[in-house]
Amino acid sequence: MAKVVITGGRRLHGRVRVGGRKNSVVAVIPATLLAEGASHIENLPAIGDVSVYADILKSMGLSVRQDRDSMSIDPTGLVAGITPPRELAQRLRASYYLLGVLLARFGEAEVALPGGCDIGLRPIDQHIKGFRALGAEATIEHGVVRVSAPHGLTGAQVYLDVVSVGATINIMLAATLADGTTTIENAAKEPHIVDLADYLNSCGAKIQGAGTDVIRIRGVKSLSGCVHAVIPDEIEAATFMIAAAATRGDVLIDNVIPKHLDPITAKLVEAGAEVTQNGDSIRVTMSRPRPRAVNVKTLPYPGFPTDAQQPMSVLLSVAEGTSFVTESIWEGRFKHVDELKRMGTNIRVEGRMAIIEGVPKLMGAPVRATDLRAGAALIIAGLMAEGQTEISGIEHVDRGYERLSDKFRALGAKIARMQG
Ligand code: EPU
């Protein structure tokens, strides 16, 4: 079990480069299996979820070559009937994209129910609804999802009852090789959905409307492999932006798409930070001794992202006044609050809302990360706090952030990583 030890109270300053987007790459990697030739993915983040996905593909007999920040996947060895090992599939959420991909390629797929962060109920009914609309049969038994369409998939109209990133992606993947046109209504609009559509279109798919709430996929007979650079990770960028504001620092964050960060920028400016954009960089400075209290409500894109809610609530824990933070995507995303209490915060959770009474300062304490973003949030708390904070459960953080401790150290933080 890895842990980090932080001596807090230092202002972050300097320059940091953001890697490729986790939630994009974990969709593009399985999507490469739809093609008949090899694909090359660039701007690949060095994160745990990518390593697990590479292991899944290798265990399925595929050739995967990974360099420092790129990966080549050759799906030619893929044959019908191969299932990803349960133990690996359960280690990340995005393994369920293999359902859409294998269903499209071979008319059948069998994948263990996926893992991922423990942040509340994570149903997959909308994925199943989509597969069924395309003509597949689907069952979930003994923790395994089985889908089959012996006569192939046929394009259809699918209306999502909830805006779901995962269901939008899975249906898009399945529909790419279906016979006829599929329309996904009430689709998720996250930039990683656009990124995936861009990758698939470069390989020969016919997808229109990604980034809006209606996506049209005209099925094609086959895809060829292609080269694709994954977009930057806006949650990694948001984490540095919030950390810069939280430590009253001055940080320039490179390799970002500032537009994707608008909801974060808006809230940081409301809280009193200065945010300036220049090309693919964004600079955050904070000169106020304490942020202003602000209210935040998480929503599907382009609303405030749930994945940045926990770090943001840490910043607000020292604000002047009371902030109301409403989590409308994941009911289990306030688990970091109990840990933060050990550091002197005054936060009350009522259902889906955290009521944060700002305190003048945080104090270092031993705390435990229960999920990926909770871990990032606790690291920010440690950077702000007086004295030493020891954070266990860092393996959650490794799943989705590349070298986070090293990057914070390069910005002036006193942070050390050790085995627990
Ligand atoms: N939902 C359903 N039925 C479904 C699917 C989703 O009711 O079939 C509900 C969920 O319970 C949730 C809401 O719809 O309340 C949104 O879920 P969504 O499907 O959009 O989430 P996801 O695809 O499981 C992805 C990211 C999450 C991120 C969410 C929301 C990946 C691998 N994961 O999850 O990322 O929080 O979208 O933006 O892309 C993270 O990176 O820390 C993370 C948890």
Side-chain angles (χ1 to χ4, degrees), residues 368-418:
R368 192 172 63 87
T370 50
D371 62 80
L372 168 61
R373 309 299 173 188
L378 292 172
I379 290 177
I380 295 175
L383 297 173
M384 296 158 70
E386 198 177 272
Q388 190 163 299
T389 298
E390 192 177 299
I391 306 162
S392 57
I394 286 300
E395 55 283 355
H396 292 293
V397 177
D398 295 339
R399 283 191 34 226
Y401 287 91
E402 58 176 24
R403 300 180 295 101
L404 190 60
S405 306
D406 294 345
K407 288 185 177 183
F408 275 131
R409 195 174 314 108
L411 291 172
K414 194 162 179 213
I415 176 167
R417 188 187 167 106
M418 38 195 82

Side-chain angles (χ1 to χ4, degrees), residues 92-244:
L92 83 171
R93 191 82 204 148
S95 56
Y96 60 14
Y97 294 144
L98 289 168
L99 285 168
V101 166
L102 297 175
L103 181 63
R105 280 289 306 270
F106 303 113
E108 59 180 358
E110 201 179 295
V111 181
L113 277 169
C117 284
D118 181 12
I119 47 181
L121 286 177
R122 300 189 77 171
I124 60 163
D125 56 301
Q126 298 304 304
H127 304 235
I128 301 291
K129 176 180 175 176
F131 295 148
R132 286 187 174 140
L134 295 174
E137 284 174 13
T139 56
I140 304 179
E141 280 169 2
H142 308 294
V144 175
V145 189
R146 282 190 190 82
V147 282
S148 74
H151 307 297
L153 297 174
T154 310
Q157 191 160 345
V158 184
Y159 175 83
L160 295 182
D161 301 326
V162 289
V163 179
S164 159
V165 170
T168 302
I169 289 177
N170 234 339
I171 297 165
M172 211 161 96
L173 292 168
T176 298
L177 298 177
D179 186 18
T181 299
T182 297
T183 308
I184 308 174
E185 290 177 349
N186 199 27
K189 296 183 279 203
E190 270 69 2
H192 37 289
I193 287 168
V194 181
D195 197 34
L196 175 66
D198 286 347
Y199 162 74
L200 291 169
N201 284 340
S202 302
C203 294
K206 301 272 180 240
I207 301 171
Q208 282 182 331
T212 74
D213 54 13
V214 181
I215 302 179
R216 277 200 182 77
I217 306 125
R218 188 145 59 81
V220 295
K221 291 263 178 278
S222 64
L223 298 183
S224 51
C226 63
V227 177
H228 180 74
V230 172
I231 57 170
D233 195 312
E234 107 281 21
I235 302 301
E236 186 191 359
T239 304
F240 288 119
M241 290 171 75
I242 294 167

Side-chain angles (χ1 to χ4, degrees), residues 13 43 51 78-79 83 88-89 135 138 150 185 193 209 230 297 303 319 363 410:
H13 61 90
N43 201 29
S51 307
L78 190 66
V79 289
T83 56
L88 290 174
E185 290 177 349
I193 287 168
V230 172
K297 181 173 185 180
M363 286 163 297

Side-chain angles (χ1 to χ4, degrees), residues 41-62:
I41 307 170
E42 295 174 346
N43 201 29
L44 186 89
I47 56 174
D49 275 8
V50 165
S51 307
V52 174
Y53 232 126
D55 288 345
I56 290 179
L57 299 194
K58 285 180 201 159
S59 73
M60 293 168 73
L62 301 187

